[in-house]
Amino acid sequence: AQGYKDVTDITLYVKFRVKGESNTYLTAWTTTPWTLLSNLAVAVGPDIEYDTVELLEDTAAGKTGERWIVASARRAALDAMIGKHRVVGTCRGRELAGIEYEPMWEWLDDFTAPNAGSDRSSACFVIADEYVTTEDGTGLVHLAYYGEDDFRILRKHGIPLLLTIDSNGKVADFARLFAGRWFREEGLAVDIL
C-alpha cells in the first residue's frame, strides 16, 4: 500500500573459526548481517567441491597463513578478497558435514554444549544440504531461524530455536552488545562487522 522503494544493504563475508584449528575458517557471505546475531549453523552442498586455501600474504580480510574453506567454483570470483594463495586441500561438502566451529557471540555458548545423546554440539556445526549452490557468495551459507530454507534445515537437524530479534524488530536483551537496537538501524551491520 505504501509502494516500493529501492534500498541499499551491506553484505558481509564472515569467517567462522573451525574448532580445534587455530587458523582454519569456514567462509560465508550474507545479505542480511543482522541474522548473524542468531547464527546456529553453516550449510554446504553435499556434492559441491570445496577448497581449503592458505593465504600467502596479508589482505584486508585475512592474515598470511590463514586457511579458508570456499567452494572451488567460487574461488576465482573471490580472488580479490583472498589475494595470493595456494590450495592445500579439496573435498566434497558431505566430508565437511559435522565439523564444529566457534560461536560468534557469547550468548550462543548454551547452544554449543553437547547435544543430548551425542558428542556433537547442539549448534555451530556444518550441515550438508542440496539447498546450497555456487551461484554467488562462497558456496557456504550461514543459517539462522529467519529464512524458509534455514528454518527447514535447522529444524531437520534438531537445532534449538533462537531468535535474537523480537516481534518488534528489536535486538533481544540477551544480545547485550546490540540490545534494543532495531534490526534495520543504520550502522547496525557495520557494528556487527
Side-chain angles (χ1 to χ4, degrees), residues 69-105:
I69 299 171
V70 299
S72 304
R74 295 298 302 159
R75 198 162 42 89
L78 300 170
D79 264 350
M81 181 177 64
I82 296 172
K84 194 173 182 182
H85 65 277
R86 67 183 172 137
V87 176
V88 295
T90 301
C91 67
R92 294 280 172 198
R94 67 175 41 86
E95 297 171 69
L96 296 171
I99 290 176
E100 295 183 51
Y101 62 90
E102 311 246 340
M104 295 183 71
W105 316 103

PDB file of all heavy atoms in Angstrom, residues 69-105:
ATOM      1  N   ILE A  69      38.022 -22.069   3.881  1.00  0.00           N
ATOM      2  CA  ILE A  69      37.298 -23.066   3.105  1.00  0.00           C
ATOM      3  C   ILE A  69      36.271 -22.332   2.253  1.00  0.00           C
ATOM      4  O   ILE A  69      35.428 -21.595   2.777  1.00  0.00           O
ATOM      5  CB  ILE A  69      36.628 -24.095   4.040  1.00  0.00           C
ATOM      6  CG1 ILE A  69      37.699 -24.824   4.862  1.00  0.00           C
ATOM      7  CG2 ILE A  69      35.776 -25.082   3.225  1.00  0.00           C
ATOM      8  CD1 ILE A  69      37.169 -25.698   5.977  1.00  0.00           C
ATOM      9  N   VAL A  70      36.368 -22.515   0.935  1.00  0.00           N
ATOM     10  CA  VAL A  70      35.467 -21.883  -0.037  1.00  0.00           C
ATOM     11  C   VAL A  70      35.147 -22.902  -1.129  1.00  0.00           C
ATOM     12  O   VAL A  70      35.932 -23.829  -1.368  1.00  0.00           O
ATOM     13  CB  VAL A  70      36.077 -20.616  -0.682  1.00  0.00           C
ATOM     14  CG1 VAL A  70      36.371 -19.553   0.353  1.00  0.00           C
ATOM     15  CG2 VAL A  70      37.321 -20.935  -1.482  1.00  0.00           C
ATOM     16  N   ALA A  71      34.013 -22.720  -1.795  1.00  0.00           N
ATOM     17  CA  ALA A  71      33.678 -23.595  -2.921  1.00  0.00           C
ATOM     18  C   ALA A  71      34.687 -23.384  -4.036  1.00  0.00           C
ATOM     19  O   ALA A  71      35.039 -22.247  -4.364  1.00  0.00           O
ATOM     20  CB  ALA A  71      32.267 -23.300  -3.412  1.00  0.00           C
ATOM     21  N   SER A  72      35.168 -24.469  -4.621  1.00  0.00           N
ATOM     22  CA  SER A  72      36.140 -24.384  -5.717  1.00  0.00           C
ATOM     23  C   SER A  72      35.603 -23.509  -6.843  1.00  0.00           C
ATOM     24  O   SER A  72      36.343 -22.706  -7.419  1.00  0.00           O
ATOM     25  CB  SER A  72      36.450 -25.785  -6.263  1.00  0.00           C
ATOM     26  OG  SER A  72      36.896 -26.640  -5.237  1.00  0.00           O
ATOM     27  N   ALA A  73      34.327 -23.643  -7.143  1.00  0.00           N
ATOM     28  CA  ALA A  73      33.708 -22.893  -8.241  1.00  0.00           C
ATOM     29  C   ALA A  73      33.619 -21.395  -7.958  1.00  0.00           C
ATOM     30  O   ALA A  73      33.405 -20.606  -8.871  1.00  0.00           O
ATOM     31  CB  ALA A  73      32.312 -23.451  -8.529  1.00  0.00           C
ATOM     32  N   ARG A  74      33.767 -20.970  -6.715  1.00  0.00           N
ATOM     33  CA  ARG A  74      33.680 -19.551  -6.350  1.00  0.00           C
ATOM     34  C   ARG A  74      35.051 -18.908  -6.127  1.00  0.00           C
ATOM     35  O   ARG A  74      35.157 -17.703  -5.961  1.00  0.00           O
ATOM     36  CB  ARG A  74      32.844 -19.388  -5.065  1.00  0.00           C
ATOM     37  CG  ARG A  74      31.400 -19.784  -5.201  1.00  0.00           C
ATOM     38  CD  ARG A  74      30.649 -18.954  -6.211  1.00  0.00           C
ATOM     39  NE  ARG A  74      30.715 -17.530  -5.869  1.00  0.00           N
ATOM     40  CZ  ARG A  74      30.516 -16.552  -6.738  1.00  0.00           C
ATOM     41  NH1 ARG A  74      30.242 -16.812  -7.987  1.00  0.00           N
ATOM     42  NH2 ARG A  74      30.589 -15.291  -6.347  1.00  0.00           N
ATOM     43  N   ARG A  75      36.098 -19.710  -6.121  1.00  0.00           N
ATOM     44  CA  ARG A  75      37.423 -19.201  -5.781  1.00  0.00           C
ATOM     45  C   ARG A  75      37.870 -18.059  -6.690  1.00  0.00           C
ATOM     46  O   ARG A  75      38.353 -17.037  -6.212  1.00  0.00           O
ATOM     47  CB  ARG A  75      38.439 -20.340  -5.778  1.00  0.00           C
ATOM     48  CG  ARG A  75      39.709 -20.002  -5.039  1.00  0.00           C
ATOM     49  CD  ARG A  75      40.508 -21.237  -4.662  1.00  0.00           C
ATOM     50  NE  ARG A  75      40.581 -22.237  -5.671  1.00  0.00           N
ATOM     51  CZ  ARG A  75      41.517 -22.292  -6.629  1.00  0.00           C
ATOM     52  NH1 ARG A  75      42.451 -21.372  -6.685  1.00  0.00           N
ATOM     53  NH2 ARG A  75      41.520 -23.276  -7.493  1.00  0.00           N
ATOM     54  N   ALA A  76      37.694 -18.200  -7.994  1.00  0.00           N
ATOM     55  CA  ALA A  76      38.115 -17.145  -8.924  1.00  0.00           C
ATOM     56  C   ALA A  76      37.355 -15.846  -8.660  1.00  0.00           C
ATOM     57  O   ALA A  76      37.935 -14.757  -8.701  1.00  0.00           O
ATOM     58  CB  ALA A  76      37.917 -17.593 -10.366  1.00  0.00           C
ATOM     59  N   ALA A  77      36.055 -15.950  -8.356  1.00  0.00           N
ATOM     60  CA  ALA A  77      35.248 -14.755  -8.072  1.00  0.00           C
ATOM     61  C   ALA A  77      35.688 -14.074  -6.783  1.00  0.00           C
ATOM     62  O   ALA A  77      35.458 -12.880  -6.599  1.00  0.00           O
ATOM     63  CB  ALA A  77      33.773 -15.128  -7.999  1.00  0.00           C
ATOM     64  N   LEU A  78      36.323 -14.820  -5.893  1.00  0.00           N
ATOM     65  CA  LEU A  78      36.753 -14.291  -4.595  1.00  0.00           C
ATOM     66  C   LEU A  78      38.233 -13.889  -4.577  1.00  0.00           C
ATOM     67  O   LEU A  78      38.745 -13.468  -3.546  1.00  0.00           O
ATOM     68  CB  LEU A  78      36.488 -15.325  -3.499  1.00  0.00           C
ATOM     69  CG  LEU A  78      35.028 -15.743  -3.318  1.00  0.00           C
ATOM     70  CD1 LEU A  78      34.931 -16.947  -2.387  1.00  0.00           C
ATOM     71  CD2 LEU A  78      34.198 -14.589  -2.800  1.00  0.00           C
ATOM     72  N   ASP A  79      38.900 -14.000  -5.718  1.00  0.00           N
ATOM     73  CA  ASP A  79      40.343 -13.727  -5.780  1.00  0.00           C
ATOM     74  C   ASP A  79      40.744 -12.376  -5.196  1.00  0.00           C
ATOM     75  O   ASP A  79      41.746 -12.270  -4.494  1.00  0.00           O
ATOM     76  CB  ASP A  79      40.861 -13.835  -7.218  1.00  0.00           C
ATOM     77  CG  ASP A  79      41.459 -15.201  -7.504  1.00  0.00           C
ATOM     78  OD1 ASP A  79      41.651 -15.979  -6.558  1.00  0.00           O
ATOM     79  OD2 ASP A  79      41.734 -15.466  -8.685  1.00  0.00           O
ATOM     80  N   ALA A  80      39.966 -11.334  -5.480  1.00  0.00           N
ATOM     81  CA  ALA A  80      40.321 -10.002  -4.974  1.00  0.00           C
ATOM     82  C   ALA A  80      40.332  -9.977  -3.448  1.00  0.00           C
ATOM     83  O   ALA A  80      41.162  -9.305  -2.837  1.00  0.00           O
ATOM     84  CB  ALA A  80      39.349  -8.958  -5.512  1.00  0.00           C
ATOM     85  N   MET A  81      39.417 -10.720  -2.822  1.00  0.00           N
ATOM     86  CA  MET A  81      39.354 -10.758  -1.364  1.00  0.00           C
ATOM     87  C   MET A  81      40.411 -11.712  -0.792  1.00  0.00           C
ATOM     88  O   MET A  81      41.076 -11.390   0.185  1.00  0.00           O
ATOM     89  CB  MET A  81      37.963 -11.194  -0.896  1.00  0.00           C
ATOM     90  CG  MET A  81      37.819 -11.224   0.612  1.00  0.00           C
ATOM     91  SD  MET A  81      36.176 -11.659   1.186  1.00  0.00           S
ATOM     92  CE  MET A  81      35.996 -13.320   0.609  1.00  0.00           C
ATOM     93  N   ILE A  82      40.565 -12.860  -1.419  1.00  0.00           N
ATOM     94  CA  ILE A  82      41.505 -13.867  -0.919  1.00  0.00           C
ATOM     95  C   ILE A  82      42.946 -13.427  -1.132  1.00  0.00           C
ATOM     96  O   ILE A  82      43.803 -13.639  -0.285  1.00  0.00           O
ATOM     97  CB  ILE A  82      41.256 -15.234  -1.593  1.00  0.00           C
ATOM     98  CG1 ILE A  82      39.867 -15.775  -1.232  1.00  0.00           C
ATOM     99  CG2 ILE A  82      42.334 -16.237  -1.199  1.00  0.00           C
ATOM    100  CD1 ILE A  82      39.470 -17.022  -1.994  1.00  0.00           C
ATOM    101  N   GLY A  83      43.223 -12.815  -2.272  1.00  0.00           N
ATOM    102  CA  GLY A  83      44.591 -12.412  -2.583  1.00  0.00           C
ATOM    103  C   GLY A  83      45.438 -13.603  -2.978  1.00  0.00           C
ATOM    104  O   GLY A  83      44.939 -14.671  -3.354  1.00  0.00           O
ATOM    105  N   LYS A  84      46.736 -13.443  -2.862  1.00  0.00           N
ATOM    106  CA  LYS A  84      47.669 -14.506  -3.227  1.00  0.00           C
ATOM    107  C   LYS A  84      47.481 -15.676  -2.275  1.00  0.00           C
ATOM    108  O   LYS A  84      47.504 -15.507  -1.054  1.00  0.00           O
ATOM    109  CB  LYS A  84      49.095 -13.962  -3.167  1.00  0.00           C
ATOM    110  CG  LYS A  84      50.112 -14.827  -3.824  1.00  0.00           C
ATOM    111  CD  LYS A  84      51.458 -14.108  -3.869  1.00  0.00           C
ATOM    112  CE  LYS A  84      52.472 -14.982  -4.573  1.00  0.00           C
ATOM    113  NZ  LYS A  84      53.780 -14.338  -4.591  1.00  0.00           N
ATOM    114  N   HIS A  85      47.327 -16.885  -2.845  1.00  0.00           N
ATOM    115  CA  HIS A  85      47.040 -18.062  -2.021  1.00  0.00           C
ATOM    116  C   HIS A  85      47.456 -19.335  -2.747  1.00  0.00           C
ATOM    117  O   HIS A  85      47.809 -19.302  -3.914  1.00  0.00           O
ATOM    118  CB  HIS A  85      45.540 -18.123  -1.700  1.00  0.00           C
ATOM    119  CG  HIS A  85      44.683 -18.335  -2.916  1.00  0.00           C
ATOM    120  ND1 HIS A  85      44.297 -17.297  -3.734  1.00  0.00           N
ATOM    121  CD2 HIS A  85      44.172 -19.453  -3.471  1.00  0.00           C
ATOM    122  CE1 HIS A  85      43.569 -17.762  -4.728  1.00  0.00           C
ATOM    123  NE2 HIS A  85      43.473 -19.071  -4.599  1.00  0.00           N
ATOM    124  N   ARG A  86      47.395 -20.414  -2.012  1.00  0.00           N
ATOM    125  CA  ARG A  86      47.599 -21.730  -2.628  1.00  0.00           C
ATOM    126  C   ARG A  86      46.544 -22.678  -2.076  1.00  0.00           C
ATOM    127  O   ARG A  86      46.097 -22.525  -0.921  1.00  0.00           O
ATOM    128  CB  ARG A  86      49.004 -22.255  -2.376  1.00  0.00           C
ATOM    129  CG  ARG A  86      49.275 -22.570  -0.930  1.00  0.00           C
ATOM    130  CD  ARG A  86      50.713 -23.024  -0.731  1.00  0.00           C
ATOM    131  NE  ARG A  86      50.966 -23.125   0.704  1.00  0.00           N
ATOM    132  CZ  ARG A  86      51.612 -24.110   1.270  1.00  0.00           C
ATOM    133  NH1 ARG A  86      52.118 -25.079   0.541  1.00  0.00           N
ATOM    134  NH2 ARG A  86      51.791 -24.122   2.570  1.00  0.00           N
ATOM    135  N   VAL A  87      46.124 -23.633  -2.879  1.00  0.00           N
ATOM    136  CA  VAL A  87      45.151 -24.640  -2.455  1.00  0.00           C
ATOM    137  C   VAL A  87      45.907 -25.725  -1.700  1.00  0.00           C
ATOM    138  O   VAL A  87      46.870 -26.300  -2.213  1.00  0.00           O
ATOM    139  CB  VAL A  87      44.398 -25.233  -3.663  1.00  0.00           C
ATOM    140  CG1 VAL A  87      43.458 -26.341  -3.221  1.00  0.00           C
ATOM    141  CG2 VAL A  87      43.639 -24.143  -4.404  1.00  0.00           C
ATOM    142  N   VAL A  88      45.477 -25.999  -0.459  1.00  0.00           N
ATOM    143  CA  VAL A  88      46.157 -27.008   0.367  1.00  0.00           C
ATOM    144  C   VAL A  88      45.283 -28.233   0.619  1.00  0.00           C
ATOM    145  O   VAL A  88      45.722 -29.182   1.267  1.00  0.00           O
ATOM    146  CB  VAL A  88      46.645 -26.405   1.710  1.00  0.00           C
ATOM    147  CG1 VAL A  88      47.720 -25.351   1.458  1.00  0.00           C
ATOM    148  CG2 VAL A  88      45.500 -25.842   2.521  1.00  0.00           C
ATOM    149  N   GLY A  89      44.047 -28.198   0.105  1.00  0.00           N
ATOM    150  CA  GLY A  89      43.169 -29.350   0.263  1.00  0.00           C
ATOM    151  C   GLY A  89      41.880 -29.157  -0.510  1.00  0.00           C
ATOM    152  O   GLY A  89      41.464 -28.024  -0.760  1.00  0.00           O
ATOM    153  N   THR A  90      41.265 -30.269  -0.887  1.00  0.00           N
ATOM    154  CA  THR A  90      39.997 -30.246  -1.609  1.00  0.00           C
ATOM    155  C   THR A  90      39.144 -31.409  -1.103  1.00  0.00           C
ATOM    156  O   THR A  90      39.671 -32.497  -0.833  1.00  0.00           O
ATOM    157  CB  THR A  90      40.231 -30.400  -3.138  1.00  0.00           C
ATOM    158  OG1 THR A  90      41.074 -29.328  -3.570  1.00  0.00           O
ATOM    159  CG2 THR A  90      38.936 -30.341  -3.906  1.00  0.00           C
ATOM    160  N   CYS A  91      37.841 -31.159  -0.956  1.00  0.00           N
ATOM    161  CA  CYS A  91      36.932 -32.216  -0.537  1.00  0.00           C
ATOM    162  C   CYS A  91      35.516 -31.880  -0.992  1.00  0.00           C
ATOM    163  O   CYS A  91      35.254 -30.777  -1.456  1.00  0.00           O
ATOM    164  CB  CYS A  91      36.976 -32.415   0.978  1.00  0.00           C
ATOM    165  SG  CYS A  91      36.315 -31.015   1.912  1.00  0.00           S
ATOM    166  N   ARG A  92      34.614 -32.805  -0.845  1.00  0.00           N
ATOM    167  CA  ARG A  92      33.192 -32.596  -1.128  1.00  0.00           C
ATOM    168  C   ARG A  92      32.515 -32.097   0.149  1.00  0.00           C
ATOM    169  O   ARG A  92      32.961 -32.371   1.266  1.00  0.00           O
ATOM    170  CB  ARG A  92      32.515 -33.891  -1.579  1.00  0.00           C
ATOM    171  CG  ARG A  92      33.008 -34.403  -2.895  1.00  0.00           C
ATOM    172  CD  ARG A  92      32.372 -33.652  -4.025  1.00  0.00           C
ATOM    173  NE  ARG A  92      32.981 -34.027  -5.294  1.00  0.00           N
ATOM    174  CZ  ARG A  92      32.882 -33.312  -6.382  1.00  0.00           C
ATOM    175  NH1 ARG A  92      32.204 -32.189  -6.372  1.00  0.00           N
ATOM    176  NH2 ARG A  92      33.452 -33.703  -7.481  1.00  0.00           N
ATOM    177  N   GLY A  93      31.407 -31.391  -0.029  1.00  0.00           N
ATOM    178  CA  GLY A  93      30.681 -30.843   1.109  1.00  0.00           C
ATOM    179  C   GLY A  93      30.293 -31.887   2.134  1.00  0.00           C
ATOM    180  O   GLY A  93      30.348 -31.632   3.338  1.00  0.00           O
ATOM    181  N   ARG A  94      29.908 -33.068   1.670  1.00  0.00           N
ATOM    182  CA  ARG A  94      29.491 -34.118   2.629  1.00  0.00           C
ATOM    183  C   ARG A  94      30.618 -34.481   3.587  1.00  0.00           C
ATOM    184  O   ARG A  94      30.379 -34.920   4.700  1.00  0.00           O
ATOM    185  CB  ARG A  94      28.952 -35.342   1.898  1.00  0.00           C
ATOM    186  CG  ARG A  94      29.953 -36.112   1.102  1.00  0.00           C
ATOM    187  CD  ARG A  94      29.391 -37.401   0.478  1.00  0.00           C
ATOM    188  NE  ARG A  94      28.077 -37.274  -0.077  1.00  0.00           N
ATOM    189  CZ  ARG A  94      27.792 -36.853  -1.317  1.00  0.00           C
ATOM    190  NH1 ARG A  94      28.788 -36.521  -2.115  1.00  0.00           N
ATOM    191  NH2 ARG A  94      26.565 -36.777  -1.742  1.00  0.00           N
ATOM    192  N   GLU A  95      31.879 -34.269   3.173  1.00  0.00           N
ATOM    193  CA  GLU A  95      33.022 -34.551   4.041  1.00  0.00           C
ATOM    194  C   GLU A  95      33.207 -33.467   5.106  1.00  0.00           C
ATOM    195  O   GLU A  95      33.858 -33.710   6.126  1.00  0.00           O
ATOM    196  CB  GLU A  95      34.297 -34.683   3.214  1.00  0.00           C
ATOM    197  CG  GLU A  95      34.269 -35.850   2.234  1.00  0.00           C
ATOM    198  CD  GLU A  95      35.443 -35.821   1.293  1.00  0.00           C
ATOM    199  OE1 GLU A  95      36.590 -36.045   1.775  1.00  0.00           O
ATOM    200  OE2 GLU A  95      35.232 -35.584   0.084  1.00  0.00           O
ATOM    201  N   LEU A  96      32.642 -32.288   4.868  1.00  0.00           N
ATOM    202  CA  LEU A  96      32.717 -31.196   5.850  1.00  0.00           C
ATOM    203  C   LEU A  96      31.600 -31.292   6.896  1.00  0.00           C
ATOM    204  O   LEU A  96      31.704 -30.698   7.970  1.00  0.00           O
ATOM    205  CB  LEU A  96      32.624 -29.838   5.142  1.00  0.00           C
ATOM    206  CG  LEU A  96      33.761 -29.495   4.180  1.00  0.00           C
ATOM    207  CD1 LEU A  96      33.422 -28.232   3.392  1.00  0.00           C
ATOM    208  CD2 LEU A  96      35.066 -29.330   4.938  1.00  0.00           C
ATOM    209  N   ALA A  97      30.531 -32.024   6.556  1.00  0.00           N
ATOM    210  CA  ALA A  97      29.373 -32.122   7.458  1.00  0.00           C
ATOM    211  C   ALA A  97      29.810 -32.610   8.838  1.00  0.00           C
ATOM    212  O   ALA A  97      30.586 -33.550   8.965  1.00  0.00           O
ATOM    213  CB  ALA A  97      28.316 -33.054   6.868  1.00  0.00           C
ATOM    214  N   GLY A  98      29.310 -31.923   9.859  1.00  0.00           N
ATOM    215  CA  GLY A  98      29.603 -32.287  11.242  1.00  0.00           C
ATOM    216  C   GLY A  98      30.760 -31.514  11.853  1.00  0.00           C
ATOM    217  O   GLY A  98      30.920 -31.513  13.079  1.00  0.00           O
ATOM    218  N   ILE A  99      31.575 -30.858  11.038  1.00  0.00           N
ATOM    219  CA  ILE A  99      32.678 -30.059  11.587  1.00  0.00           C
ATOM    220  C   ILE A  99      32.092 -28.951  12.456  1.00  0.00           C
ATOM    221  O   ILE A  99      31.157 -28.274  12.067  1.00  0.00           O
ATOM    222  CB  ILE A  99      33.544 -29.451  10.461  1.00  0.00           C
ATOM    223  CG1 ILE A  99      34.339 -30.552   9.767  1.00  0.00           C
ATOM    224  CG2 ILE A  99      34.470 -28.372  11.004  1.00  0.00           C
ATOM    225  CD1 ILE A  99      35.145 -30.055   8.571  1.00  0.00           C
ATOM    226  N   GLU A 100      32.642 -28.786  13.641  1.00  0.00           N
ATOM    227  CA  GLU A 100      32.161 -27.747  14.550  1.00  0.00           C
ATOM    228  C   GLU A 100      33.014 -26.494  14.419  1.00  0.00           C
ATOM    229  O   GLU A 100      34.187 -26.568  14.063  1.00  0.00           O
ATOM    230  CB  GLU A 100      32.202 -28.247  15.993  1.00  0.00           C
ATOM    231  CG  GLU A 100      31.240 -29.402  16.234  1.00  0.00           C
ATOM    232  CD  GLU A 100      31.230 -29.849  17.680  1.00  0.00           C
ATOM    233  OE1 GLU A 100      31.062 -28.983  18.563  1.00  0.00           O
ATOM    234  OE2 GLU A 100      31.411 -31.053  17.917  1.00  0.00           O
ATOM    235  N   TYR A 101      32.389 -25.359  14.698  1.00  0.00           N
ATOM    236  CA  TYR A 101      33.111 -24.091  14.668  1.00  0.00           C
ATOM    237  C   TYR A 101      32.771 -23.286  15.913  1.00  0.00           C
ATOM    238  O   TYR A 101      31.797 -23.564  16.609  1.00  0.00           O
ATOM    239  CB  TYR A 101      32.812 -23.300  13.386  1.00  0.00           C
ATOM    240  CG  TYR A 101      31.365 -22.910  13.202  1.00  0.00           C
ATOM    241  CD1 TYR A 101      30.881 -21.707  13.703  1.00  0.00           C
ATOM    242  CD2 TYR A 101      30.486 -23.745  12.537  1.00  0.00           C
ATOM    243  CE1 TYR A 101      29.552 -21.340  13.538  1.00  0.00           C
ATOM    244  CE2 TYR A 101      29.161 -23.392  12.362  1.00  0.00           C
ATOM    245  CZ  TYR A 101      28.699 -22.187  12.860  1.00  0.00           C
ATOM    246  OH  TYR A 101      27.377 -21.835  12.700  1.00  0.00           O
ATOM    247  N   GLU A 102      33.610 -22.301  16.195  1.00  0.00           N
ATOM    248  CA  GLU A 102      33.440 -21.465  17.385  1.00  0.00           C
ATOM    249  C   GLU A 102      32.242 -20.522  17.199  1.00  0.00           C
ATOM    250  O   GLU A 102      32.119 -19.899  16.145  1.00  0.00           O
ATOM    251  CB  GLU A 102      34.705 -20.634  17.608  1.00  0.00           C
ATOM    252  CG  GLU A 102      35.954 -21.460  17.546  1.00  0.00           C
ATOM    253  CD  GLU A 102      36.678 -21.556  18.850  1.00  0.00           C
ATOM    254  OE1 GLU A 102      36.458 -20.705  19.719  1.00  0.00           O
ATOM    255  OE2 GLU A 102      37.457 -22.496  18.985  1.00  0.00           O
ATOM    256  N   PRO A 103      31.402 -20.391  18.213  1.00  0.00           N
ATOM    257  CA  PRO A 103      30.276 -19.457  18.103  1.00  0.00           C
ATOM    258  C   PRO A 103      30.781 -18.016  18.007  1.00  0.00           C
ATOM    259  O   PRO A 103      31.823 -17.674  18.569  1.00  0.00           O
ATOM    260  CB  PRO A 103      29.485 -19.679  19.389  1.00  0.00           C
ATOM    261  CG  PRO A 103      30.449 -20.291  20.343  1.00  0.00           C
ATOM    262  CD  PRO A 103      31.454 -21.039  19.521  1.00  0.00           C
ATOM    263  N   MET A 104      30.037 -17.196  17.284  1.00  0.00           N
ATOM    264  CA  MET A 104      30.438 -15.805  17.100  1.00  0.00           C
ATOM    265  C   MET A 104      30.184 -14.953  18.339  1.00  0.00           C
ATOM    266  O   MET A 104      30.830 -13.938  18.531  1.00  0.00           O
ATOM    267  CB  MET A 104      29.655 -15.190  15.936  1.00  0.00           C
ATOM    268  CG  MET A 104      29.956 -15.800  14.605  1.00  0.00           C
ATOM    269  SD  MET A 104      29.065 -14.968  13.283  1.00  0.00           S
ATOM    270  CE  MET A 104      29.938 -13.411  13.247  1.00  0.00           C
ATOM    271  N   TRP A 105      29.210 -15.343  19.150  1.00  0.00           N
ATOM    272  CA  TRP A 105      28.756 -14.495  20.263  1.00  0.00           C
ATOM    273  C   TRP A 105      28.646 -15.318  21.540  1.00  0.00           C
ATOM    274  O   TRP A 105      28.293 -16.490  21.508  1.00  0.00           O
ATOM    275  CB  TRP A 105      27.376 -13.892  19.940  1.00  0.00           C
ATOM    276  CG  TRP A 105      27.274 -13.376  18.546  1.00  0.00           C
ATOM    277  CD1 TRP A 105      26.639 -13.975  17.497  1.00  0.00           C
ATOM    278  CD2 TRP A 105      27.829 -12.161  18.028  1.00  0.00           C
ATOM    279  NE1 TRP A 105      26.767 -13.204  16.372  1.00  0.00           N
ATOM    280  CE2 TRP A 105      27.485 -12.087  16.659  1.00  0.00           C
ATOM    281  CE3 TRP A 105      28.581 -11.128  18.594  1.00  0.00           C
ATOM    282  CZ2 TRP A 105      27.869 -11.012  15.857  1.00  0.00           C
ATOM    283  CZ3 TRP A 105      28.962 -10.065  17.783  1.00  0.00           C
ATOM    284  CH2 TRP A 105      28.605 -10.015  16.434  1.00  0.00           C
TER     285      TRP A 105
END
